[in-house]
Amino acid sequence: MIIAIDGPAAAGKGTLARRIAAALGLPYLDTGLLYRAVGRRVLDAGGDPADPVAAKAAAESLTAADLARGDLRDGAASKAASQVASIPAVRAALLGFQRHFGDVHGAVLDGRDIGTIIFPDADIKLFVTASLEARAGRRFAELRAKGDDVSLAAVCDDLAARDDADAKRAAAPLVAAADAILFDTTAMDADAAFARALALIKAKLG
Ligand code: DC
């Protein structure tokens, strides 16, 4: 069984996907982490994440250790991830790993193109959204809790810029699959979103 969970940054996809995977006994893959690790590798080598040659080489040589790094969620890695994610050769290099991950035992995967490109025949597709204000507020609280001295306005600008880039790129843009269930979490906390999503999934699977 494949459950595809797509949507914009900070919509709550990761938390939701992880909990759904645990509830259904399926492996979980955060595909954004792949793009973050590629971006981080390019930055470490002193390269430009917008350079297709450097980004493709980083994507083709990604290791498990790259995905286990603790610095994949900071602002620099987020920006670099969005930049490398717009390069078709990077997406091509990461495609096989994602498909293989799901094909072995089934999986819950979250990202931007899981229901459109990676698993167009997924059993369940959720497109998780929330208003920009709600998403920025959640990400701001998360960063502050980690001791990051960011402002709400900066977080909001950063999310808006990334969503814009992710939605407008030519390669696998952020878009809901035609057969995705639209799931707006603006007025839900994480527990309510999980309960509702699980009910939707169970209803769809009969
Ligand atoms: O989900 P995230 O914020 O960790 O993703 C980081 C970046 O990677 C985001 O700007 C979009 C990109 N991404 C993508 O293009 N395709 C995916 N399947 C997952 C993430």
Side-chain angles (χ1 to χ4, degrees), residues 98-195:
Q98 294 172 80
R99 286 208 175 132
H100 180 72
F101 185 93
D103 281 342
V104 182
H105 300 294
V108 179
L109 301 95
D110 81 59
R112 303 295 186 288
D113 62 341
I114 308 303
T116 50
I117 307 281
I118 307 295
F119 284 106
D121 296 326
D123 301 274
I124 303 276
K125 299 179 186 178
L126 286 186
F127 193 81
V128 182
T129 60
S131 69
L132 178 61
E133 291 70 27
R135 293 185 289 120
R138 291 174 196 163
R139 181 55 54 89
F140 174 69
E142 239 172 68
L143 291 170
R144 277 296 173 100
K146 276 195 218 157
D148 202 330
D149 188 24
V150 284
S151 72
L152 179 59
V155 172
C156 198
D157 288 351
D158 172 59
L159 285 184
R162 270 207 298 140
D163 289 347
D164 194 54
D166 292 341
K168 287 191 180 147
R169 69 183 178 218
L174 167 68
V175 64
D179 52 351
I181 302 169
L182 297 184
F183 192 70
D184 188 330
T185 67
T186 304
M188 293 181 208
D189 64 15
D191 287 344
F194 170 61

Side-chain angles (χ1 to χ4, degrees), residues 30-41 62 67 77 80-82 84-87 90-92 94-95 98 112-113 118 169 172:
D30 170 1
T31 65
L33 219 51
L34 303 173
Y35 295 91
R36 288 172 179 274
V38 172
R40 180 50 79 191
R41 271 189 84 123
L62 211 60
L67 299 177
S82 190
V84 300
S86 72
I87 299 169
V90 169
R91 307 198 72 86
L94 301 177
L95 185 102
Q98 294 172 80
R112 303 295 186 288
D113 62 341
I118 307 295
R169 69 183 178 218

